[in-house]
Amino acid sequence: MFANIYRGKKILLTGHTGFKGTWLTTWLLHLGANVIGVSKDIPTNPSMFNILKLSDKIQNVVLDIRNFKDISKVISDNKPDFVFHLAAQAIVSTSYTDPFETISSNTMGTTNILEALRISNHQCKAIIITSDKAYDNVEQIWGYKENDQMGGKDIYSGSKGAAELIIKSYFHSFFKLRESNVCLAVARAGNVIGGGDWAKDRIVVDAVLAWSKNKPVKVRNPQATRPWQHVLEPLSGYLNLGKELFFNNKKFNGEGFNFGPSSKQNRTVKQLLSDLSRYWDLDINEKIIIVKDPISFHEATLLKLNCEKSLTLLNWRSVLDYKDTIRFTSEWYKNYYTEPNSAKIKTINQIIEYEDFAKNKKLVWTE
């Protein structure tokens, strides 16, 4: 799997206590990696990171990446073989209530990672994760390509667009040079769902929290359409990108890649909830309330990615169809609320099942 390059390697993972970070930590441990996790806190309660008791299995570092001295020391002391930078303030609604936290975390936090790598200058492959919302969304009907303009109308999107500009300038100023031992690439993904997410203002989270208490979920925009993908999809892209940086060294240095599902995954929010509810034996008409209150912040109505570059250059494609995306997500939550102590086994089993699906599709990263 991934040419076995992660076994025995030191992997620095920022944002490891979050939803995506916890899944990536678990997968890296499954691949035999030595994980150094860096996060400032446990962002949710419940927390998948705590449920899986991952702090006992990794080097768990509690710090804020906005503190340059601290993050630089961690990088210089450990000299990780790979860095996966996921740490961010990732909630759009929070960016309106706390814009300073969002901008400082997503721009200066990313800058500190890049500067620490520049100073350390050890042999390292760095995958910097931003977001699909880094693109300047003009509500176009076709997917955004990696060379499209960055920016955003809301604070979160703007902070991610700004981070992209910082990454670009650091690459051309420092990491593109022959004497640099650091190779980096940028990964962008969005509309990720899956078991273990308890972040605020996310439709799947709102639904399972309500349904677990036998209450209806409130929905403001049931006809909004998104290309939903399971969390393991972009993570396979990040890991595959790390593999390509490892073997091809400078070939993909400084490149950005989109990781998203096919257009066949597009579903409305209402359809998504209806499909999820079947695993809870619910009558969706009784367990969904459509409210008329307008949201108090700007929200994109259409945003999807063009992933042809990842397909062509990395031979990466999504693995799960929509049906299995729903099944993976629903079964994880249903399993947790029925047997909380079995969450670890369920998580590992879903990673193995995902790998098996990918093997059957003969995807190159499974070798």
Side-chain angles (χ1 to χ4, degrees):
M1 201 64 58
F2 301 105
N4 211 31
I5 64 165
Y6 294 111
R7 181 167 298 279
K9 297 294 197 308
K10 285 193 289 186
I11 316 291
L12 179 72
L13 173 56
T14 72
H16 71 299
T17 58
F19 166 51
K20 288 171 70 176
T22 296
W23 273 98
L24 184 53
T25 297
T26 305
W27 200 349
L28 284 167
L29 290 173
H30 176 66
L31 294 171
N34 299 316
V35 178
I36 306 158
V38 174
S39 293
K40 67 183 179 69
D41 55 23
I42 305 295
T44 63
N45 183 25
S47 159
M48 186 182 180
F49 182 80
N50 283 342
I51 291 166
L52 301 187
K53 300 179 180 179
L54 290 178
S55 61
D56 299 333
K57 302 175 178 63
I58 65 172
Q59 182 179 334
N60 189 43
V61 181
V62 180
L63 65 83
D64 191 325
I65 58 171
R66 290 175 294 181
N67 186 318
F68 174 72
K69 181 179 178 181
D70 287 350
I71 188 60
S72 183
K73 187 175 189 305
V74 170
I75 288 176
S76 62
D77 286 353
N78 289 280
K79 291 182 170 53
D81 301 294
F82 292 87
V83 170
F84 290 90
H85 173 47
L86 279 74
Q89 193 304 96
I91 308 300
V92 174
S93 59
T94 300
S95 75
Y96 281 87
T97 58
D98 198 344
F100 181 82
E101 168 82 12
T102 303
I103 294 169
S104 60
S105 295
N106 298 349
T107 56
M108 282 311 303
T110 299
T111 303
N112 286 345
I113 297 293
L114 297 171
E115 178 66 4
L117 286 170
R118 181 187 74 82
I119 293 173
S120 179
N121 197 33
H122 66 280
Q123 289 289 340
C124 182
K125 317 302 178 188
I127 293 81
I128 312 297
I129 289 84
T130 59
S131 170
D132 61 341
K133 293 181 178 62
Y135 291 106
D136 184 15
N137 186 6
V138 293
E139 305 286 345
Q140 63 188 29
I141 60 174
W142 51 86
Y144 291 90
K145 295 183 178 181
E146 287 82 354
N147 59 355
D148 280 334
Q149 183 171 317
M150 297 291 160
K153 296 181 180 68
D154 60 88
I155 294 295
Y156 173 72
S157 300
S159 72
K160 285 298 187 178
E164 289 273 1
L165 294 178
I166 292 168
I167 296 164
K168 180 179 179 180
S169 61
Y170 255 84
F171 167 70
H172 285 283
S173 298
F174 307 114
F175 301 128
K176 190 177 181 179
L177 303 179
R178 182 175 299 178
E179 56 267 28
S180 174
N181 292 313
V182 178
C183 288
L184 66 83
V186 178
R188 306 172 190 127
N191 298 308
V192 173
I193 63 175
D197 188 6
W198 279 285
K200 63 177 291 190
D201 297 331
R202 289 183 178 164
I203 188 60
V204 173
V205 180
D206 291 345
V208 296
L209 285 174
W211 295 343
S212 68
K213 300 173 184 176
N214 199 31
K215 295 181 179 180
V217 59
K218 295 180 180 180
V219 182
R220 286 185 170 81
N221 194 358
Q223 297 308 316
T225 302
R226 295 287 185 271
W228 311 100
Q229 65 175 330
H230 190 269
V231 62
L232 290 174
E233 304 278 34
L235 296 188
S236 71
Y238 305 164
L239 291 168
N240 190 29
L241 184 51
K243 176 179 75 74
E244 292 297 329
L245 284 180
F246 181 82
F247 285 116
N248 292 300
N249 201 13
K250 299 288 185 179
K251 182 178 179 180
F252 298 120
N253 193 22
E255 293 288 325
F257 291 90
N258 292 335
F259 298 102
S262 71
S263 58
K264 296 178 181 179
Q265 301 285 81
N266 286 3
R267 296 293 190 283
T268 65
V269 168
K270 187 174 182 179
Q271 183 65 56
L272 175 77
L273 294 177
S274 178
D275 295 333
L276 287 169
S277 71
R278 292 170 187 160
Y279 289 82
W280 295 74
D281 299 321
L282 299 172
D283 181 347
I284 190 62
N285 294 319
E286 296 178 359
K287 293 303 177 183
I288 179 172
I289 296 177
I290 299 174
V291 296
K292 302 296 184 181
D293 298 340
I295 58 175
S296 59
F297 55 86
H298 170 79
E299 185 176 45
T301 57
L302 180 64
L303 178 59
K304 60 181 179 179
L305 299 177
N306 181 311
C307 300
E308 291 181 7
K309 183 178 179 180
S310 294
L311 172 62
T312 303
L313 298 183
L314 303 179
N315 292 309
W316 177 91
R317 60 175 57 84
S318 58
V319 173
L320 302 178
D321 59 20
Y322 175 75
K323 181 179 178 180
D324 283 319
T325 297
I326 293 297
R327 178 175 64 82
F328 269 49
T329 302
S330 299
E331 287 184 351
W332 195 100
Y333 282 115
K334 187 65 174 176
N335 182 82
Y336 169 74
Y337 283 109
T338 304
E339 299 180 67
N341 293 331
S342 64
K344 175 184 176 182
I345 295 174
K346 188 64 175 178
T347 303
I348 294 296
N349 285 343
Q350 287 196 341
I351 290 173
I352 293 172
E353 185 178 359
Y354 181 84
E355 291 177 339
D356 288 341
F357 274 134
K359 288 177 185 176
N360 290 336
K361 291 189 174 185
K362 295 181 169 46
L363 300 187
V364 295
W365 57 260
T366 63
E367 298 170 359

